Every structure is written in structure tokens, then in C-alpha cells.
Amino acid sequence: MRAQRESTTKTVVVVGGGNAGLVAAIAAAEDHCNVRLFEAAPSAERGGNSSFTLGGVRVAFEDPESIFQLLSHVSESEAEMIRRRPYPAASYLADLLTLSQGEADEALCSLLVRWSLPVVKWMKGHGINWGLYMSGFAPEPLWIGSPGNLYAEGGGKGLVAALERRTKSLGVSIEFDHSLEEILLDDTGSVRGITIMQGAEQKRISCDMLVLACGGFEANEQLRRRHLGPAWASMKVRGTRFNTGKGIEAALRIGAQRHGQWDNGHAVPIAFDAPEFGSLALGTTTRRCLFQFGISVDRDGRRFMDEGQNRKTFMYSTTGVAVASQTDGFAYQIFDATFFAANFEKAYYLSGQHYKANTLRDLAASVGIPPDQFLREIEEYNAAIQAGGTFDPNILDGCATVGITPKRSNYATAICEPPFFAFKVVGGITFTYGGLKIDQQCRVLDGADQPIRGLFAAGEVTGGFFAHCYPSNSGLMRGAVTGYLAAKSASRDLKDLVVQS
Ligand SMILES: Cc1cc2nc3c(=O)[nH]c(=O)nc-3n(C[C@H](O)[C@H](O)[C@H](O)COP(=O)(O)OP(=O)(O)OC[C@H]3O[C@@H](n4cnc5c(N)ncnc54)[C@H](O)[C@@H]3O)c2cc1C
């Protein structure tokens, strides 16, 4: 689409009011740019997927003291409990590349890793309070400072509220209920504006720099079906209903290049009765990620995945599609009484629909699984567990099975102590991996790998960072790093434009 320039005011427009967009707005506004932020959701549904998170970011650090100094409100007794273990940049990069089976873009992953600590420090300077994650897992209910996870005070909602406060104090107002439709170029191919819908009214907004931070396409069933396939199309959406891929599609229409793994995404098991889209009132409570404390079976009572293939944070994102791929798209997670040793997440489970019985046969009957097959499966599983292991969810504990398929590689304990529980689960998509191609300055590239002048991208809009699997808490970190860098590049280019005009 072509448009004539309408205004001489030099403006950075940011589209999307999640973590990436808010960080970009702050980073541009602190450089005295004139910033406007447009957000498709009404204010009651503000903050995108970022609002649904626990607020965790994965940061690389060599010296644990550099993390300790970022913490707010640590009492002396808590300080004593903190384990201090570095998470070097090389480990973070290796985790990203290994989990992606070598398909992630190494240069982009290096960018994420390199900027993680500086950006987290910068965010602290803008009012984000950081804390550490308490695993809450027996036998070590300790604060854990590795692998590099910090948590924003107040979780995702707290993070978004703090970023919004800062955005506002820098004079940027968020224009809710404004949904990007098209990106407008001038005759030289530079971005000159956008069209946006406010209700039924179409508006044309001029800008000199545009930062797309309007999420992936996980909330768009049609695009999920087209790019990821039928198992993904039938999934529930864990987060915002507004991430429908409009920003990505608008950029593709003006010649942007796709990047990353378009036929895969992040998905986990969630409650069968969870709403179709995420609800801010429920937050993350619908997730069912304690699969390592029990076994997962299909509607016929058969196991279908290695529930202990890796540490939870290194495998959970692949389990949603495993569930969605079963007949009828659902499964059951089965636990015995030892489930009560699990961490805070068990409260999520017990707050939702579940089945409880004193015998496995009764459990199967109440759930509707063929009891004989179910009992045989559990008997075989229990018998296949190698003797001598000690269950420890904090490490790869080596408690494994032998001679059954699928194998259980870690965290295998017998399902034998009543009462027994069953939780019905479906796949819940978190976000998509495919997006736009960006360079080291977060400029969007065209098909010839040339930057589209004036166009930048941040957060879930971008592709290339993740593929196949995902190290937990890298999503907010990717959004913050790319939001920051996109804004700094836009601000620099804006200054060049002012000098030229
Ligand atoms: C339940 C859940 C838990 C998670 N937990 C974590 C966690 O603890 N740590 C972590 O790192 N990651 C987590 N993630 C992933 C994380 O949320 C994302 O990677 C990250 O928030 C993406 O940030 P973003 O700013 O790119 O996108 P979002 O936060 O989704 O923001 C995009 C914004 O763009 C808006 N938008 C969309 N289309 C348009 C349009 N056409 N016009 C205008 N605005 C538009 C949306 O309404 C939204 O507000 C979680 C995700 C979910 C769903």
C-alpha cells in the first residue's frame, strides 16, 4: 500500500501493549522520541500474553552477585537460603540451540543472551522489581538462582502494570481498542504510517518509525490450521485472544521475510474445562504441568510420551501437542498420593475438575477409561521402574524404566499409594515460533535480507529464536531485549531523519 506523507512530526509508533511493546515505548521515550502506542485489546484485557505469565525472565550471568544486586525485598533469612550458581552466556546459548535441534538462528539467540542481563538491569532502573523463584519442590524448598531465572514482582500483571506506569510517566499514552490493519509505505519504500481500526472506524496514522510488537498468531485458528496442522487448530489458547497474527501478515504483505519454525509452537497440557481463550482472572491456573509426578495416558489408558524425557523447563513446551495428537485430542494425567509432595501448582490442579478414588479400578471407572487396559498399563509401568533411584524433580534424577515403550527417562516412581487422582487435559497453545526475520538491530528484513526502512519488530512477532522446544522464561526475555533494541535503532534512525530534513 502507498501513502503520501501527512505530517512533519517525527513519530515512533509502537503496535502492541505487551512486554515487548511497553519496553520499546519506554526505550524510545527515554530518548525523547515522540511515541504513540496502539493496542488492539480494551484496557480490561491489557498486557497481551505478558499479563498471563508468572513474570519470569531467563538471564545469563557469570557472577551471581550481579543478580543478587537486582533483587528487591530480600530478607536476611531468605538471602541465606539462596543458592548461588552462575548461568553463563555459553550455557544459555547452548540451551537455546540444543533444544531447537540446531534450527534456531544462532546470531539472534546470541543477541538475546548477550543483552539479557543489561536489559534486565535497565528494566530495574525503570521500576521493575525483581525476585527469585521458589521451586517449592520437596525435598529442597529453597530459593533457586539458577538457571538464571528472575521473576517480576506481581508476576505478569505486576510486570505490565509497572511498565505501563513508566510508559505513562514518560508521557506516552496507550491507545486501547486500536487494531493495526495495514502498514503504509511511501514511494521510496519507507514506512510512513499505518491503518488502524477503532471499532468500525478506520484511521490512518502517520509515523516515521514503526515497531511491531503485536504478538504471534496463536489465537488465530485458521492460521494455526494452515501453518501448524490440525492438532494445533483444535487447541485452546492459553493467553490473549488478540494475538491473531495481523502484524505479521501486514508486514508480509509489504515484503517482509518470514523466519523461524512456522510449523511448531509452544503448547502445554491445560485443564479440559479451561476456556477457549485465556482468562486474566484464571491466569496460569489452568496449566497442568506436573506430568513428571505421575503418568499421562490416552482415553484407552495407554501411556504415549516419556514424561521424564528432560527437566520440566526443557520439555514442557512440547507436551501440549503430544496431548492434542491423541485420539479425540485429550488425555488424563494420573497420580497417586505422592502427588501432594508437588509444588504450588497442585493447587491449580485441585481447583479444577478432577477425579479421586481409593483404587485404580474405581478411578478408571469414574473417568471412563477401560479398566483392564489401564490396570495392565500401570502394572507394567510400575514393574519396569529400575530399583535404587531417588526421586528429585530439581535435577535429572535418573529414575527410569526399562523394557517399556514409551520409556520413562527420569522421575519414575510407582503409582501405588492411594488415593489416586485423574485430571483430564487438552493441548493449550502458548505462542507460535514462526515470525518475521529481523537483524541484529531488530530491523525487519525483506526477501533480499535488506532492512525495510522504518520497520522494526519485537517479541513474538519475530521468528528464529525458538524451534521444536524452548527453555522456560525466554519469551519475556526475548520480548524485552528485542523491544529495547528495536526502540534504540528506531530512535537512532529518527535522529538521522531529523538531521537530514
Ligand atoms: C499462560 C502463559 C504463561 C507464560 N509464562 C511465561 C513466563 O513466565 N515467562 C516467559 O518468558 N514467557 C511466558 N509466556 C510467553 C510470553 O507471554 C510471551 O513470550 C511474551 O509475553 C510475548 O510478549 P510480546 O510483547 O511479544 O506479546 P504480548 O504480550 O502477547 O503482546 C502483544 C500485544 O499485541 C496486541 N495486538 C495483537 N494484534 C494487534 C493488532 N493488530 N493491533 C494492535 N495490537 C495488537 C495484543 O493485544 C497484545 O497486547 C507465557 C505465555 C502464556 C500465554
Side-chain angles (χ1 to χ4, degrees):
M1 237 190 224
R2 305 275 161 196
Q4 291 306 307
R5 195 158 182 182
E6 290 169 341
S7 154
T8 51
T9 316
K10 302 277 183 282
T11 303
V12 177
V13 159
V14 177
V15 180
N19 174 57
L22 290 166
V23 163
I26 294 168
E30 73 171 358
D31 284 359
H32 310 291
C33 296
N34 179 36
V35 182
R36 297 184 73 178
L37 196 160
F38 295 99
E39 164 56 51
S43 73
E45 294 178 73
R46 69 213 301 145
N49 275 355
S50 306
S51 280
F52 286 84
T53 70
L54 292 172
V57 290
R58 182 174 286 253
V59 192
F61 56 93
E62 303 289 339
D63 176 10
E65 281 310 304
S66 60
I67 291 295
F68 189 74
Q69 282 162 17
L70 289 173
L71 301 179
S72 307
H73 318 304
V74 181
S75 68
E76 260 179 48
S77 58
E78 283 168 344
E80 275 170 25
M81 284 159 66
I82 294 172
R83 277 191 191 168
R84 292 159 201 255
R85 193 164 56 179
Y87 185 50
S91 304
Y92 194 170
L93 184 60
D95 288 341
L96 286 161
L97 297 179
T98 306
L99 291 181
S100 76
Q101 302 176 18
E103 283 185 37
D105 181 325
E106 189 168 347
L108 289 180
C109 291
S110 301
L111 188 76
L112 163 58
V113 169
R114 194 164 65 247
W115 280 90
S116 59
L117 185 57
V119 168
V120 155
K121 283 184 181 168
W122 173 86
M123 289 171 84
K124 167 108 181 147
H126 282 286
I128 308 304
N129 288 326
W130 298 110
L132 292 178
Y133 175 60
M134 186 155 74
S135 86
F137 277 130
E140 284 187 289
L142 291 176
W143 292 83
I144 297 190
S146 176
N149 292 338
L150 285 172
Y151 282 77
E153 207 172 83
K157 283 183 195 160
L159 172 68
V160 166
L163 289 170
E164 281 192 5
R165 263 196 307 278
R166 186 61 183 141
T167 308
K168 214 170 161 185
S169 76
L170 287 166
V172 182
S173 62
I174 302 171
E175 297 175 63
F176 291 102
D177 286 308
H178 281 75
S179 178
L180 169 87
E181 293 281 303
E182 298 293 347
I183 300 168
L184 307 172
L185 302 178
D186 66 13
D187 293 338
T188 70
S190 302
V191 169
R192 280 298 169 258
I194 54 175
T195 59
I196 207 150
M197 296 301 291
Q198 185 189 17
E201 188 193 343
Q202 191 187 55
K203 290 182 179 174
R204 198 176 145 121
I205 311 285
S206 297
C207 67
D208 302 276
M209 302 293 151
L210 174 62
V211 180
L212 292 178
C214 43
F217 58 89
E218 63 277 356
N220 185 325
E221 187 187 329
Q222 249 184 344
L223 290 188
R224 289 204 306 273
R225 186 176 301 281
R226 186 183 315 157
H227 297 294
L228 295 117
W232 295 85
S234 65
M235 283 189 197
K236 297 191 181 200
V237 176
R238 296 181 64 209
T240 176
R241 63 194 167 100
F242 291 94
N243 285 354
T244 54
K246 279 191 177 171
I248 295 176
E249 292 204 303
L252 294 177
R253 280 194 292 275
I254 59 152
Q257 190 184 153
R258 291 163 172 226
H259 199 39
Q261 194 184 28
W262 273 68
D263 60 359
N264 210 331
H266 180 307
V268 301
I270 63 170
F272 183 78
D273 56 356
E276 289 307 307
F277 294 97
S279 127
L280 281 172
L282 291 172
T284 54
T285 61
T286 58
R287 80 176 189 190
R288 298 290 178 260
C289 287
L290 288 175
F291 45 85
Q292 297 185 323
F293 281 80
I295 58 169
S296 296
V297 298
D298 66 10
R299 60 167 201 177
D300 299 321
R302 292 194 170 82
R303 285 180 62 245
F304 56 87
M305 67 178 197
D306 178 352
E307 302 92 338
Q309 174 252 334
N310 206 335
R311 292 188 66 158
K312 184 177 104 177
T313 50
F314 284 168
M315 70 169 282
Y316 74 120
S317 62
T318 63
T319 54
V321 70
V323 168
S325 303
Q326 300 312 304
T327 311
D328 295 337
F330 68 81
Y332 294 100
Q333 293 180 355
I334 309 294
F335 304 95
D336 74 359
T338 55
F339 167 66
F340 282 102
N343 72 356
F344 62 89
E345 206 170 329
K346 70 179 177 242
Y348 296 174
Y349 276 69
L350 296 172
S351 68
Q353 192 191 28
H354 59 279
Y355 305 86
K356 185 177 171 189
N358 282 326
T359 68
L360 286 165
R361 185 169 287 281
D362 285 350
L363 188 73
S366 59
V367 170
I369 303 176
D372 291 340
Q373 168 60 42
F374 180 62
L375 291 178
R376 215 169 27 249
E377 189 80 5
I378 292 185
E379 240 169 62
E380 280 173 12
Y381 171 77
N382 286 347
I385 297 171
Q386 286 178 295
T390 305
F391 176 80
D392 184 350
N394 294 303
I395 55 168
L396 282 177
D397 68 2
C399 292
T401 58
V402 275
I404 55 168
T405 305
K407 178 181 167 45
R408 174 71 172 252
S409 302
N410 291 283
Y411 318 116
T413 55
I415 309 281
C416 58
E417 210 181 302
F420 301 100
F421 297 89
F423 299 86
K424 193 170 182 180
V425 293
V426 290
I429 185 165
T430 320
F431 62 91
T432 39
Y433 291 152
L436 302 177
K437 188 166 189 184
I438 56 167
D439 66 7
Q440 297 277 305
Q441 298 166 52
C442 299
R443 299 179 298 188
V444 176
L445 302 180
D446 67 14
D449 276 341
Q450 294 303 307
I452 297 175
R453 278 192 300 280
L455 186 60
F456 305 84
E460 280 180 7
V461 168
T462 65
F465 288 90
F466 315 121
H468 296 290
C469 189
Y470 155 95
S472 63
N473 293 324
S474 304
L476 286 174
M477 198 66 259
R478 180 258 305 257
V481 165
T482 51
Y484 175 84
L485 292 175
K488 292 303 171 194
S489 306
S491 149
R492 181 206 57 215
D493 287 1
L494 202 66
K495 282 179 191 128
D496 289 348
L497 262 189
V498 173
V499 171
Q500 285 161 25
S501 60

